[in-house]
Structures are given as C-alpha cells and as structure tokens.
C-alpha cells in the first residue's frame, strides 16, 4: 500500500492519519499530547506502523498544529502548514461545498469561511481560551462526569440554565451558583454548551457570515450538546464529519500529497524515527538585550534544528531554519 | 564637546527623524538615538509607565529610559496636532509630563507642536528650540529650511515604496538608492500606526516575515499625502486623528487598486482609535471582497500566534488569486 501521512500536534491532542493513493483514510489515531509532543508523535508512529500492512510505503508526510515545526523536523515533513489551511483543505475534500467551518480544539478555536471552495475569511481566538475544549474538560472533571458522557447528558436537558460565557472563571462561579440553587445537572451542562457557543459566536465568529453547509470539527465536536447548541444558535443544520477529531491531520496529509507531487520525492525519515532518541532543550541567548529563548532539538546527540532567535544566528548555524 | 540631544526611537520618530536630526545637527548638537526596541526596553517601559496607556506609549517610556545618562537633553515635543484641523492622540500630548518624574531624567525639550490652527505658532516653537543652541536667528532659520528639505526627500523616498528604515539608510548614505525590487507574486497592504508596523520588535517583524513568505508589502506612507487625504474625505464624517485618517485614506485607496491582493490591519492593545479605524476598515474591506486580517499586538503576544495568522492569511490570498494552495 502506498499513501500519505498527516500529523497534527496540538496543545491537547496529537493526531495521525494515513490515507492511501485513492484518498481512503486507512488509519487514524487520536492521542493526548500531555505536554510531551515528541514522545507522543513517536508513540503514534509506532502504533501506526504496527497497524499498517507490511510493505506500506509512505510517499509523503505533512505536519500541522502548534507543534508542526518541531514534528516537521523530527519526521522529515514535506509540508509544514498552519492549522487554518490544513482544516480548510480537509473540509473542502470531505464535505464538498462547505461554506463555514467551526473548529474548537483543546486550547484554541477558529472559524473559517469558505466561498466557492476558497477560504475567504478566518479568525482565531485571541489570548483568552474560554470556550475551548480544555474548559469543558475541566468542568466535566469538577462535576465528576467523564467528558465522553458530557454531550449525552446535556441532551437530556429540559430547560438549559443561563450561564455567563464571557470568561471561564466567571462561568465556573455561575455554574456553582446554579448547582447550589438546585438546578439539574443536564440543565447546567446544556447551559454551559449554550454559553460556550454564545462566547464563540461573539468573539471568534464576530462579524462573520455563517452560511450552510456548516461543518463543526475539532475534538469538541464529539460533544453532542455543543452540536445542538450551535444548531439552536445558528438555526442551521450543523454537520460533524466522520473524521472530525483528526481533520487537521487529514489536511496535512493532503497538503503533503500536493507537495510531493511538486517536488518529486519525500523527505520522510521512516517509521524508525519512533525509536530514535530525541532531546530538546532551550537556552537564553545573551548576545543582545532581546534575550531570545532558543530551542534546540537534537537527534541521537546531534543538533538538527534550532529556533526562537530573532536574529537567526543560532538557527542558521544548523541549516534547518524555521520562519 | 557638543551638546547631546537624545531622541527616543519610538512614536513619530518614524515620520520625523530626518527633520529633527538635521535640525539639531545643523545647530551643532550631537543626536543620540535610543537603541532599537528590545525585550529589555519594553520591560523597562512596562515597569515605569502607568497601566492605562497603550502599548506603543509604554514602549516609548522604555526608549526614554534607555537615553537616561547618555544625553544632555531629551527631545520629546508635546505633539498636539501635526495637520490643520486634526489632532494627534492625547496620549502623545501627555507623554512629556508622564516621563518627567522618572529618576535621573535630563531636561526635556518638550515644546508644543500644535498646527491645529495653522503654522504661526510653529515658527515660534522652532525659534524656541533653536535658542537652546545658538543666539543666531538667521542660523536657526537656515537650518530649519535645510531640515525641511531633507524631510521632503525622506517622504519622497517613502512614496517610492521604501520602508522608513530603508529610506533612512539611503538618506544617511549607508546604501545606494536603487529602484526597489518587488519580487513577490502577491502584494499586501499593511495598515497601522507607523510605530507599530515599522518597529520590527513590537510587531515581531511583520514586514520581514511577509517578504520572506513571498509577499510585497505596501503601507500608507508609500502614498502621497494628497491621495490619502482625498480618499479619507469619502468618509461621511471626518476623523479627527491624523494617523487614523492616514490609515483609512490608504485603506480606501488600496481597496480600489487591482494590484493589491490583501489587507492587514495592525492594532495595538489599548489603542482607542485603532479599535475604531480597524472596524471601519474591516467593514469596507469585506464589502469590497478584499481578504482582510486584523492583528492585535500586546506585550504578551507570542510569535507562534502571529506566524500562524500570517501564514494562513497569505495561503488564503494565494488560494484566492491563484486558485491553489501553495504547499512548499
């Protein structure tokens, strides 16, 4: 089998996708990053390698997500792309004609508007992470319910309570108040979904024209309560694609296919990467008052990349330069 | 030894440095510029400035601090108005009085620059500053004339498409004045206050990054003043801020230009006028179908966030103009 590999390394999850020449997704893996991007990518690659038939050839590999540069250096990526483009590319393939993409991940949320198959506008959340997956995760933990059950319970709500969604800290005190007033758990959960949707549409979606077909993706799309809250707020049908939680990786793989078609050969280092020894470290450069924090990645004790220096004197020294 | 006059590399330095420098040097002073912005300068600025002001003024504080101990005077004019019937932001007006209490600060040259009702006052101001260095009124007048000439040359260089740092390099004979190459396939209009878009530290090198990603960058300063003013006049009501007017005028002009493929507005955290002009520009860009990106700079901005947004924005612009996503 010949195919393409896409890796999306986000703050909360790391996803790997392998699709074959015909564009069929053969394997997708969703892992928690747990603050160790390299280990997680290695684990994912090992799992993926073991699950694919022997003799599988990876013709190209793409990375995306906030850890895209790091991962790109480690696996030898052909395409290293930001998550907006990756998500848009994946959605337009899997949901033809899509006009609006709502994406809520672990610590970021974005909206992508497409018209005639081309991205026409996008926005990402700014400094505040209220209304993202991490917050739902945390609240589910506080209420003692597994996050997987969250959506199901929220759907049982009869009259969702009103919760302030502007700030996660205030939303939490609001929820505690509602709990102590005796509101039912499903009503509170549904209220929380409504609040997050309101916050999302007012901040990220501010001024954007959301037209059908609307696709909802990212880890939070697993939450049926959120899907319903979006449908209610938008008064539109909201689709959740079957690979909603690995769409970034799908997009990265698609971009890798295009990159390899253009440049000829892949720079993929092979599944052996999973067993190599990678070390990362950082140091503060004292060359000037900028005091840049320079990150260094080494493979088997050899420095393969550096970044973070504004003047590029460190990154140029190893050749693997990143933006 | 000549008298040393310090000029903070902040705020309207990006507009008027050639004028100020020529004037002070012409009167026999030595001009000392604060160091280019660094984390250290910003941190100092944040520590000493009041909380309520905007990021660029906090950074200007850092530049003033950088000059302390190195100069005999700090030139910090109280900028009230630089064009008839228009104003500069009140935070500029308050700056000399805000920095005055800093420990060890040398005497400020904080004359009022107010052209709101014309230039009569300005002549008096120039004389006042000149009198600090010479009693010869004729010399002041000559130096002033020469400074204005240099300034005019500088503006002309900007209108040829140079960025302030490049135009200064040409003025100071550090590089030869050669026609500008525009190698990028797409052109992006970058709009924002000059001290935000031209300070590579505070904006994380937006211009350099855009160019490295293959885009040509044009700004409001690349346009003739007349163009900017006439386009800004299309607003139903005149904006009072000169800098905001510039942005709006340039935006409206670039929206009509077929060689401009995208528009980026850079706002500073805590800037009142920016939140207004940004919104005005965004609405018009949307109506015109121009790809638009709004970036807000604050002291906590991580590079990753800026890079992701710029990359995604250029992908969007290329996707729209060429019909495909650039993959490598």
């Amino acid at each position: 089998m010949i195919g393409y590999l896409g890796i999306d390394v986000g703050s909360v999850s790391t996803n790997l996708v392998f699709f074959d020449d015909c564009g069929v997704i053969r394997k997708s893996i969703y892992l928690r990053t747990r603050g160790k991007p390299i280990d997680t990518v290695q684990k994912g690659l090992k799992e993926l390698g073991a699950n694919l038939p022997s003799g599988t050839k990876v013709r190209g590999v793409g990375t995306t997500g906030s850890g895209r540069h790091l991962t790109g250096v480690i696996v030898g990526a052909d395409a290293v792309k930001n998550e907006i483009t990756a998500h848009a590319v994946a959605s337009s393939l899997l949901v033809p004609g899509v006009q609006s993409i709502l994406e809520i991940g672990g610590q970021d949320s974005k909206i992508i508007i497409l018209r005639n198959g081309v991205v026409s506008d996008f926005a990402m959340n700014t400094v505040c992470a209220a209304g993202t997956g991490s917050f739902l995760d945390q609240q589910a933990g506080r209420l003692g319910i597994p996050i997987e059950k969250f959506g199901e319970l929220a759907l049982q709500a009869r009259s969702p309570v009103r919760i302030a969604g502007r700030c996660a800290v205030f939303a939490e005190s609001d929820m505690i108040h509602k709990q102590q007033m005796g509101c039912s758990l499903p009503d509170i959960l549904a209220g929380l979904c409504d609040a997050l949707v309101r916050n999302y549409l007012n901040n990220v979606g501010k001024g954007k024209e959301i037209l059908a077909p609307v696709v909802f993706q990212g880890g939070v799309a697993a939450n049926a309560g959120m899907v319903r809250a979006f449908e209610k707020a938008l008064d539109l049908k909201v689709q959740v694609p079957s690979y909603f939680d690995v769409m970034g990786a799908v997009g990265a793989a698609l971009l890798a296919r295009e990159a390899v078609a253009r440049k000829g050969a892949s720079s993929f280092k092979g599944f052996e990467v999973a067993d190599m020894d990678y070390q990362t470290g950082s140091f503060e450069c004292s060359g000037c008052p900028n005091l840049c924090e320079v990150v260094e990645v080494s493979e088997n004790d050899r420095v393969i990349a550096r970044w973070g220096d504004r003047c590029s004197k460190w990154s140029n020294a190893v050749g693997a330069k990143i933006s | 030894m000549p008298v040393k006059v310090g000029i903070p590399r902040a705020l309207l330095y990006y507009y008027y440095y050639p004028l100020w420098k020529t004037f002070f040097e012409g009167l026999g002073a030595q001009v000392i510029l604060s160091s280019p912005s660094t984390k250290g300068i910003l941190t100092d600025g944040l520590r000493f400035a009041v909380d309520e002001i905007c990021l660029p003024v906090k950074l200007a504080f850092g530049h003033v601090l950088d000059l302390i101990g190195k100069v005999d005077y700090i030139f910090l004019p109280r900028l009230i108005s630089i064009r008839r019937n228009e104003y500069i932001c009140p935070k500029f007006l308050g700056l000399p009085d805000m920095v005055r209490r800093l420990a060890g600060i040398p005497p400020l040259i904080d004359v009022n620059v107010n052209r709101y009702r014309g230039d009569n006052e300005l002549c008096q101001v120039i004389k006042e500053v000149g009198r600090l260095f010479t009693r010869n009124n004729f010399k002041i007048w000559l130096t002033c004339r020469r400074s204005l000439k240099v300034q005019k040359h500088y503006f002309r260089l900007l209108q040829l498409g140079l960025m302030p740092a490049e135009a200064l390099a040409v003025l100071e004979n550090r590089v030869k004045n050669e026609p500008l190459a525009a190698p990028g396939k797409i052109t992006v209009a970058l709009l924002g206050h000059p001290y935000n878009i031209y300070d590579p530290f505070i904006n994380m090198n937006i211009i350099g990054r855009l160019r490295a990603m293959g885009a040509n960058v044009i700004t409001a300063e690349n346009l003739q003043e007349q163009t900017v003013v006439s386009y800004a006049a299309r607003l139903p009501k005149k904006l009072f801020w000169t800098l905001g007017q510039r942005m709006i005028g340039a935006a409206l002009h670039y929206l009509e230009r077929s060689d401009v493929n995208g528009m980026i507005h850079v706002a500073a955290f805590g800037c009142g006028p920016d939140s207004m002009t940004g919104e005005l520009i965004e609405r018009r860009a949307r109506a015109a179908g121009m790809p638009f990106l709004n970036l807000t700079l604050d002291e906590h901005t991580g590079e990753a966030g800026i890079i992701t947004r710029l990359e995604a924005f250029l992908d969007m612009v290329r996707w729209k103009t060429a019909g495909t996503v650039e993959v490598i």
Side-chain angles (χ1 to χ4, degrees), chain A residues 120-167:
Chain A
S120 75
D121 200 3
F122 68 87
M124 290 173 83
N125 60 332
T126 46
V127 278
C128 178
T132 58
S134 303
F135 175 63
L136 284 178
D137 231 11
Q138 190 197 340
Q139 293 313 314
R142 203 180 63 78
L143 296 166
I145 53 164
I147 186 75
E148 294 77 18
K149 289 267 160 58
F150 193 116
E152 201 182 305
L153 278 166
L155 288 184
Q156 293 165 16
R158 260 184 259 144
S159 81
V161 298
R162 179 93 183 175
I163 289 170
R166 265 283 169 213
C167 168

Side-chain angles (χ1 to χ4, degrees), chain A residues 8-10 13 15 64-66 81-95 98 100-106 108-112 114 119 124 215-219 241 243-255, chain B residues 308 312 315 319:
Chain A
D8 179 356
V9 183
S13 73
N15 316 316
T64 185
S66 45
K81 262 291 165 203
N82 61 82
E83 47 274 37
I84 305 260
T85 308
H87 276 282
V89 166
S91 281
S92 17
L93 179 86
L94 297 182
V95 187
V98 58
S100 318
I101 302 172
L102 319 170
E103 205 268 348
I104 306 188
D108 72 350
S109 49
K110 38 191 165 292
I111 187 165
I112 307 171
L114 290 105
V119 175
M124 290 173 83
V215 167
F216 181 21
Q217 58 198 40
Y243 292 99
F244 67 90
D245 54 347
V246 294
M247 290 296 264
V250 173
L254 284 167
L255 289 163
Chain B
T308 300
D315 280 347
W319 205 345

Side-chain angles (χ1 to χ4, degrees), chain B residues 204-268:
Chain B
M204 281 157 284
N205 197 11
I206 288 187
I207 295 180
R209 281 184 202 283
L210 284 170
R211 285 179 173 173
M213 293 178 195
N216 305 319
V217 182
I218 46 174
T219 65
E221 283 66 44
N222 298 147
L223 294 174
Q224 300 214 347
E225 188 164 351
Q226 206 36 53
T227 314
V228 173
V229 170
S230 67
Y231 275 86
R234 295 189 185 180
L235 283 184
K237 179 175 180 283
K238 187 179 171 177
L239 281 180
F240 356 95
W241 311 292
T242 304
L243 302 179
Q245 276 240 70
R246 267 195 157 269
M247 271 184 249
I248 298 263
L252 295 181
H253 171 76
Y254 285 138
L255 283 178
E256 286 185 2
R257 285 250 303 258
S258 56
D259 60 329
V260 177
N261 309 101
M263 194 171 274
I264 300 179
H265 177 252
V266 177

